[in-house]
Amino acid sequence: MADYDIPTLKEEIDRETVEQVLALDVDKYKYGFESDIESDVLPPGLTEETVRFISAKKEEPEWMLEWRLDAFRRFQTLEEPTWAKLHYPKIDLQQISFYAAPKSFKGPKSLDEVDPELLKTYAKLGIPLKEQAILAGVEGAAESVSTPFGANVAVDAVFDSVSVVTTFREELAKVGIIFCSISEAVREHPELVKQYLGTVVPVSDNYYATLNSAVFTDGSFVYIPKGVRCPMELSTYFRINEKNTGQFERTLIIADDDSYVSYLEGCTAPSRDENQLHAAVVELVALDNAEIKYSTVQNWYPGDKDGKGGIYNFVTKRGDCRGVNSHISWTQVETGSAITWKYPSCILRGDGSRGEFYSIAISNGYQQVDSGTKMIHLGKNTSSRIISKGIAAGFSDNTYRGQVSAHAKAKNARNFTQCDSLLIGDKCGAHTVPYIESRNGTAVFEHEATTSKISDDQMFYCLQRGLNEEEAVALIVNGFVRDVLQHLPMEFMVETQKLISISLEGSVG
Amino acid sequence: MTTPVLEIRNLHARIEDREILKGVNLVIPQGEVHAIMGRNGSGKSTLSYVLAGKEDYEITEGEILLNGESILEMEPAERAAAGIFLAFQYPIEIPGVATMTFLKAAINAQRKARGEGELSTPDFMRAVKEAGAQLNVDSAMLKRPLNVGFSGGEKKRAEIMQMALLKPALAVLDETDSGLDIDALQVVSKGVNALRDGKRSMLVITHYQRLLNHIVPDVVHVFSDGRIVESGDKDLALQLEAKGYADYDGQAA
């Protein structure tokens, strides 16, 4: 008789997932609340004055203002793209306020300055990480806090537009890591920002990226020096809080030669009727032999059960494997937003560089997701791997759109793509749109795609064993996404399994 | 007299416009093993699905009592928690869900439905180890996704293992011998017999007598055209094996 292992943590988590689902209200967005913090809000509208106001608010140097104004001028020549399989009313940028900052902050230096209302908001979020203690406590709290799995997590919390709290910075500074808000980086580390900002996602890259370049309000900045392995997972949470405020995050992560960093981004947002625009830009730069892992759990308000409200999420995320043997890995879990337009991509420039994209995209209700990746092979012996799991339920539409290309010089480029779609019910749609382009005869690209449904037989089997319908769907879907879940940092895996169940509530019966 | 575990009274069931069960009467007292034998297409599997509450079937007449309580209004999961277990003829694949994960989810779902606390991990592991040993289910198999790529024998062993862990009051075994070679049949039968504890009742559905050499029934029923047409002891199965079902065709018409 073989020995039995203790059930893996994942199995333990599966069980917890089911419990937690049952503890929750079905038809309510769990994080749908508004916190009542006084905000400094710019009146709606987008003009050159808006850009100047934001720059002035941030006390930015002249070169940054010029960079923004250049983006603003280019933006005025651009048209909103329509190629995605998304349907939504035209967004009137003149109706959006481009800046909102919690009033009680002026470049917070210590946690004592944190508005109690804000801390309450974080408490309500109920994120399974231990940042609560950090955010609620004094500076000393940060050192005593770690995740249940031993690895430390540093948090750069973004509340609307101003980076509120940055913890662990001293510890990180000891090894030369810079982890701060992008606004602060503009002031404190202009040489790095000037050198890298806009080099992965150029100012004029696309409509939303250009808009972001003109009006970005805040975001995170990370620099990992040569040879440094970041001792903890870096983490940030974004929330969209101010009514009718577009959220324009800008994140820049640079991993210098032989360095490593894992970055986690997680999001929840309060519910409301008005659609909210979110257009973030994330740029990653990996130099020689460097590795960046970027994980996202996105849980923004998807709109109500009739399709009203919800976040419009137009994000440009791109990583540049600039150095030889560099490695960038994107892992994303997309469960929220009314509209998702998002293609975290890798430019495989350095010889021997590697790009990965692991994605779980769940759509329910009237959500629309058009997401995927681009793997652009430029260097020799570059490889990439794409595993995408799309789950469509309710009346939603879920499109995987991916591009894999090999440049003429990309000798021995390799790609493996697997796109699996799972349909729940018969009113939703799953679509796979791969673009594959090879200009080098030695490149080998493989693409596999499947579409399946949760069968009545699977459901009946699970029900016969005593699971109720929602438990059965959660179990089957968690099985379906298992390949991708394994790539998430442990603490995100827990949150993700919960999210999967929550986001599929009401999809059966 | 104690209440029988299962009592079926004049049960009629249809799928779409086709009546499949045409007045089934059956009583299984506690601890007894009853076999139902009949041709393919006589409605045996339908009976098992109707007992488990599969929604494709419409009950037009009759009653099903489990320990004296009607289950007709109960959802499949409620019936499972109340003690009905169906070992499927064709167990369903659940990709990506480790067998161990599934077992734990099922056990705890049923416990919760009955208002019992969750099984602790050590208790769960002990139960799994015990049930696994009986059925040659090792830890490697428990880590594989449930039924995915399982051989016929592995699938049936996994079914009986679930039954052992879920401890149903009434186990319905639908063609458990199908797809099994003789060695696998012995392992599975041994597993089933180990669960005959004088309290648990079983309904063994098969169209071969072979299985009944290993799982010896207390009562054998002959099923034809949607109802039970004859009942007897285990020797009835041997007669059927020798003479076939032809004798009963007339009665069913």
Side-chain angles (χ1 to χ4, degrees):
Chain A
M1 187 62 217
D3 279 332
Y4 285 85
D5 297 331
I6 291 172
T8 61
L9 184 63
K10 191 189 165 297
E11 282 153 1
E12 203 45 39
I13 291 163
D14 285 342
R15 184 179 57 76
E16 282 169 15
T17 303
V18 168
E19 278 170 27
Q20 274 148 349
V21 175
L22 292 161
L24 291 164
D25 271 353
V26 176
D27 200 27
K28 284 207 167 150
Y29 180 62
K30 191 186 170 199
Y31 304 131
F33 53 84
E34 263 178 65
S35 48
D36 201 7
I37 297 172
E38 274 189 274
S39 281
D40 203 353
V41 183
L42 196 64
L46 177 61
T47 63
E48 191 173 308
E49 279 314 301
T50 318
V51 178
R52 288 181 185 279
F53 175 88
I54 293 168
S55 187
K57 268 278 176 195
K58 303 260 158 205
E59 297 164 35
E60 285 176 353
E62 187 62 24
W63 63 266
M64 194 68 244
L65 174 62
E66 284 307 321
W67 198 86
R68 288 177 181 274
L69 289 173
D70 173 49
F72 178 70
R73 286 176 205 123
R74 289 171 191 250
F75 179 71
Q76 286 176 308
T77 68
L78 297 176
E79 293 286 328
E80 202 175 331
T82 53
W83 45 262
K85 191 173 166 50
L86 301 169
H87 304 280
Y88 54 93
K90 200 166 162 49
I91 299 161
D92 185 355
L93 296 175
Q94 300 308 331
Q95 297 300 316
I96 292 173
S97 168
F98 283 82
Y99 185 84
K103 247 185 189 166
S104 57
F105 296 91
K106 286 187 184 114
K109 296 283 186 286
S110 86
L111 292 155
D112 293 339
E113 294 173 26
V114 174
D115 189 324
E117 275 291 311
L118 180 61
L119 295 175
K120 269 192 233 164
T121 301
Y122 278 97
K124 278 192 231 169
L125 283 172
I127 296 155
L129 300 178
K130 304 286 184 184
E131 284 91 87
Q132 284 298 331
I134 304 173
L135 293 166
V138 287
E139 282 180 342
E143 284 126 48
S144 63
V145 173
S146 62
T147 72
F149 310 103
N152 288 331
V153 177
V155 190
D156 181 25
V158 179
F159 191 81
D160 274 26
S161 311
V162 172
S163 176
V164 177
V165 176
T166 303
T167 54
F168 285 100
R169 273 170 60 179
E170 283 173 27
E171 198 179 322
L172 292 169
K174 278 182 213 157
V175 286
I177 292 171
I178 304 166
F179 178 33
C180 61
S181 72
I182 193 98
S183 313
E184 193 178 338
V186 167
R187 293 190 300 267
E188 308 289 327
H189 307 282
E191 67 300 336
L192 283 171
V193 177
K194 271 187 199 168
Q195 189 182 347
Y196 291 105
L197 189 71
T199 64
V200 185
V201 178
V203 164
S204 54
D205 188 78
N206 68 69
Y207 180 84
Y208 301 106
T210 307
L211 175 63
N212 176 288
S213 299
V215 299
F216 73 85
T217 40
D218 221 328
S220 299
F221 176 84
V222 178
Y223 173 77
I224 314 291
K226 283 183 181 158
V228 171
R229 210 181 151 79
C230 185
M232 63 186 75
E233 311 260 5
L234 300 181
S235 177
T236 181
Y237 293 107
F238 296 101
R239 277 174 60 77
I240 302 173
N241 192 60
E242 195 63 30
K243 227 167 206 186
N244 276 332
T245 304
Q247 179 103 353
F248 302 94
E249 303 293 342
R250 185 94 196 185
T251 290
L252 176 59
I253 298 175
I254 303 138
D256 213 327
D257 297 350
D258 305 301
S259 68
Y260 166 84
V261 63
S262 171
Y263 188 89
L264 323 178
E265 173 202 344
C267 321
T268 58
S271 71
R272 58 167 52 98
D273 278 341
E274 294 86 348
N275 292 303
Q276 292 182 299
L277 176 62
H278 186 96
V281 172
V282 175
E283 297 179 277
L284 311 182
V285 180
L287 300 178
D288 289 355
N289 305 305
E291 180 177 355
I292 302 175
K293 284 183 73 166
Y294 193 106
S295 311
T296 307
V297 173
Q298 187 269 114
N299 180 30
W300 283 328
Y301 181 54
D304 66 15
K305 60 179 165 38
D306 301 317
K308 198 163 173 240
I311 306 288
Y312 286 6
N313 190 21
F314 298 93
V315 189
T316 305
K317 287 184 168 178
R318 196 174 301 156
D320 190 354
C321 286
R322 208 164 281 184
V324 296
N325 300 320
S326 53
H327 181 185
I328 288 177
S329 169
W330 297 100
T331 305
Q332 65 169 23
V333 179
E334 300 286 319
T335 64
S337 297
I339 303 272
T340 301
W341 183 98
K342 183 181 176 190
Y343 316 90
S345 303
C346 295
I347 301 166
L348 303 166
R349 199 184 301 275
D351 289 347
S353 60
R354 199 140 58 93
E356 289 168 320
F357 175 74
Y358 302 107
S359 172
I360 298 169
I362 299 178
S363 54
N364 196 358
Y366 287 87
Q367 283 177 276
Q368 302 175 59
V369 178
D370 194 302
S371 183
T373 185
K374 286 193 274 188
M375 293 291 173
I376 301 162
H377 293 256
L378 301 178
K380 295 184 190 72
N381 302 314
T382 48
S383 62
S384 59
R385 184 176 169 84
I386 298 169
I387 299 184
S388 166
K389 303 278 182 177
I391 297 125
F395 299 89
S396 68
D397 252 313
N398 202 321
T399 302
Y400 167 83
R401 189 182 301 277
Q403 181 184 0
V404 178
S405 68
H407 188 267
K409 289 177 183 164
K411 213 173 126 193
N412 297 323
R414 292 281 181 280
N415 167 266
F416 174 75
T417 300
Q418 187 186 331
C419 291
D420 297 324
S421 303
L422 184 69
L423 298 165
I424 300 172
D426 53 9
K427 304 266 192 306
C428 53
H431 320 276
T432 302
V433 189
Y435 304 82
I436 299 168
E437 198 181 338
S438 174
R439 296 175 192 275
N440 187 303
T442 61
V444 178
F445 292 166
E446 291 173 70
H447 181 95
E448 291 176 8
T450 66
T451 301
S452 51
K453 288 190 76 164
I454 294 184
S455 70
D456 292 346
D457 285 344
Q458 279 179 323
M459 284 301 289
F460 177 62
Y461 188 84
C462 293
L463 299 178
Q464 207 299 306
R465 295 304 183 247
L467 296 150
N468 66 34
E469 289 191 334
E470 287 190 344
E471 289 168 339
V473 167
L475 189 75
I476 292 167
V477 171
N478 270 306
F480 175 73
V481 302
R482 186 185 171 101
D483 302 349
V484 173
L485 275 183
Q486 289 166 345
H487 292 279
L488 281 172
M490 195 55 87
E491 55 270 49
F492 262 25
M493 210 155 107
V494 180
E495 192 174 351
T496 300
Q497 296 197 322
K498 269 196 276 179
L499 267 185
I500 288 171
S501 307
I502 293 167
S503 43
L504 289 171
E505 280 172 6
S507 64
V508 287
Chain B
M1 190 186 147
T2 52
T3 312
V5 168
L6 178 71
E7 184 171 359
I8 301 174
R9 292 180 192 153
N10 190 30
L11 186 67
H12 290 253
R14 62 169 65 211
I15 185 162
E16 288 160 5
D17 288 337
R18 203 153 56 88
E19 184 165 56
I20 299 184
L21 300 184
K22 301 174 181 175
V24 178
N25 288 289
L26 175 65
V27 176
I28 306 183
Q30 192 177 50
E32 288 192 8
V33 173
H34 288 215
I36 285 192
M37 298 185 70
R39 283 185 199 281
N40 281 334
S42 59
K44 306 188 301 295
S45 285
T46 295
L47 179 62
S48 71
Y49 288 144
V50 166
L51 285 170
K54 197 172 188 192
E55 64 177 8
D56 309 353
Y57 300 92
E58 188 197 346
I59 312 294
T60 51
E61 209 181 325
E63 182 60 278
I64 305 173
L65 304 173
L66 183 72
N67 292 316
E69 304 276 337
S70 173
I71 61 167
L72 291 182
E73 296 301 317
M74 289 163 77
E75 294 295 321
E78 294 175 81
R79 298 185 190 199
I84 291 184
F85 178 90
L86 172 59
F88 283 64
Q89 181 178 5
Y90 303 108
I92 306 297
E93 297 183 358
I94 314 286
V97 177
T99 301
M100 182 86 91
T101 305
F102 186 87
L103 292 174
K104 205 165 185 186
I107 287 175
N108 284 325
Q110 292 201 12
R111 291 180 69 94
K112 202 175 58 192
R114 293 192 293 258
E116 299 167 11
E118 245 174 42
L119 209 56
S120 74
T121 298
D123 287 346
F124 171 71
M125 293 313 298
R126 205 170 299 123
V128 166
K129 189 171 178 174
E130 209 172 286
Q134 187 80 51
L135 289 153
N136 293 350
V137 174
D138 61 15
S139 62
M141 187 168 152
L142 291 168
K143 284 178 186 161
R144 288 159 62 192
L146 183 64
N147 293 326
V148 178
F150 282 18
S151 68
E154 285 173 328
K155 284 184 181 174
K156 295 301 168 77
R157 272 149 54 202
E159 289 293 288
I160 303 306
M161 177 156 178
Q162 292 179 55
M163 172 176 150
L165 289 168
L166 294 170
K167 300 185 168 52
L170 174 70
V172 181
L173 278 60
D174 188 10
E175 307 274 3
T176 292
D177 52 332
S178 71
L180 294 186
D181 60 31
I182 193 71
D183 293 337
L185 181 62
Q186 277 174 355
V187 173
V188 167
S189 303
K190 204 173 100 190
V192 172
N193 286 328
L195 298 170
R196 292 179 74 165
D197 57 2
K199 287 184 181 165
R200 178 166 298 116
S201 304
M202 296 190 194
L203 182 60
V204 180
I205 293 172
T206 180
H207 58 266
Y208 288 120
Q209 188 270 335
R210 174 179 85 151
L211 177 68
L212 304 181
N213 289 335
H214 299 274
I215 304 170
V216 180
D218 298 301
V219 181
V220 174
H221 305 278
V222 181
F223 209 80
S224 181
D225 194 29
R227 74 185 77 144
I228 288 169
V229 291
E230 189 171 350
S231 303
D233 64 11
K234 62 180 166 40
D235 294 337
L236 180 59
L238 293 169
Q239 289 172 32
L240 274 173
E241 185 77 357
K243 292 162 67 183
Y245 295 106
D247 286 358
Y248 301 100
D249 289 350
Q251 295 183 27

